[in-house]
């Protein structure tokens, strides 16, 4: 029998924070993907993606990762960094040009919110950082303009959201070119 995801079992979604978790299968997919693109010593930023950060299996990857998160219930996580997207650069001085891989899932999908996240991304990223994020299909052009990412075939399952998200990234990887069997497209 497959083991249930510990994060999902212990941390219910909090609608007051607009938290809607990926499905267990999507979490496993993202963990496998992040761990497959990680190279020795790279730094990874998880922006508003606690379900992925907390589900990492590879301890070296986790030791080289930071979770940028608003929810203080997660502040016991070793890599926790308090992050408020309304103050996109506050408290981030130590992280300027630090990250090789950045995973982002903002709590809101508006241009105003994505613009603030883009400020953070562009501040903490290394020059050739790999960026992976998710949002609605209608945000494709805006995300291309803000952070130079393009839509991918693989789409996440987020069971308690009423609309479908797409993944976007600035690099090519065969895992992202597959159909998510869980949702069938």
């Amino acid at each position: 029998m497959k083991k249930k995801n510990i994060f999902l079992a212990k941390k219910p979604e909090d609608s007051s924070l607009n938290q809607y978790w990926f499905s267990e299968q999507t979490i496993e997919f993202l963990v496998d993907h992040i761990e497959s693109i990680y190279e020795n010593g790279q730094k990874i930023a998880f922006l508003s993606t606690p379900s992925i950060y907390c589900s990492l299996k590879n301890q070296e990857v986790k030791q080289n990762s930071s979770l940028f998160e608003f929810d203080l219930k997660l502040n016991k996580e070793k890599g926790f960094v308090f992050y408020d997207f309304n103050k996109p650069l506050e408290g981030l001085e130590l992280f300027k040009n630090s990250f090789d891989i950045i995973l982002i899932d903002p709590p809101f999908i508006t241009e105003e919110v994505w613009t603030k996240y883009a400020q953070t991304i562009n501040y903490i990223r290394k020059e050739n950082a790999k960026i992976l994020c998710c949002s609605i299909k209608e945000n494709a052009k805006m995300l291309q303009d803000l952070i130079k990412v393009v839509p991918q075939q693989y789409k996440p399952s987020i069971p308690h959201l009423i609309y479908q998200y797409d993944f976007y990234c600035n690099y090519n990887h065969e895992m992202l070119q597959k159909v998510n069997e869980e949702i069938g497209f």
Side-chain angles (χ1 to χ4, degrees), residues 18-115:
N18 215 32
Q19 289 176 333
Y20 299 98
W21 306 138
F22 295 113
S23 70
E24 192 166 349
Q25 184 176 320
T26 296
I27 290 172
E28 186 174 326
F29 171 86
L30 284 169
V31 167
D32 290 347
H33 178 70
I34 293 296
E35 291 181 352
S36 78
I37 64 173
Y38 171 83
E39 294 177 16
N40 190 34
Q42 286 185 317
K43 301 290 184 203
I44 306 172
F46 291 83
L47 286 176
S48 306
T49 54
S51 65
I52 312 308
Y53 173 85
C54 293
S55 300
L56 290 169
K57 298 176 265 190
N58 181 313
Q59 288 309 303
E60 179 185 343
V61 172
K62 194 156 192 175
Q63 289 170 358
N64 285 301
S65 298
S66 296
L67 172 63
F68 294 83
E69 177 59 47
F70 185 79
D71 187 351
L72 290 173
K73 290 184 220 102
L74 294 159
N75 72 352
K76 293 194 177 19
E77 291 294 329
K78 187 174 186 216
F80 180 88
V81 177
F82 179 76
Y83 175 70
D84 180 351
F85 71 82
N86 289 303
K87 301 170 186 170
L89 302 179
E90 188 172 290
L92 300 183
E93 296 80 17
L94 294 175
F95 301 105
K96 185 172 182 160
N97 304 322
S98 293
F99 293 97
D100 304 284
I101 302 168
I102 304 173
L103 179 65
I104 313 104
D105 182 20
F108 303 100
I109 56 175
T110 64
E111 184 171 2
E112 176 186 0
V113 170
W114 268 110
T115 298

Side-chain angles (χ1 to χ4, degrees), residues 7-19:
F7 177 85
L8 292 176
K10 289 185 172 183
K11 179 75 173 82
E13 296 171 334
D14 184 344
S15 60
S16 71
L17 296 175
N18 215 32
Q19 289 176 333

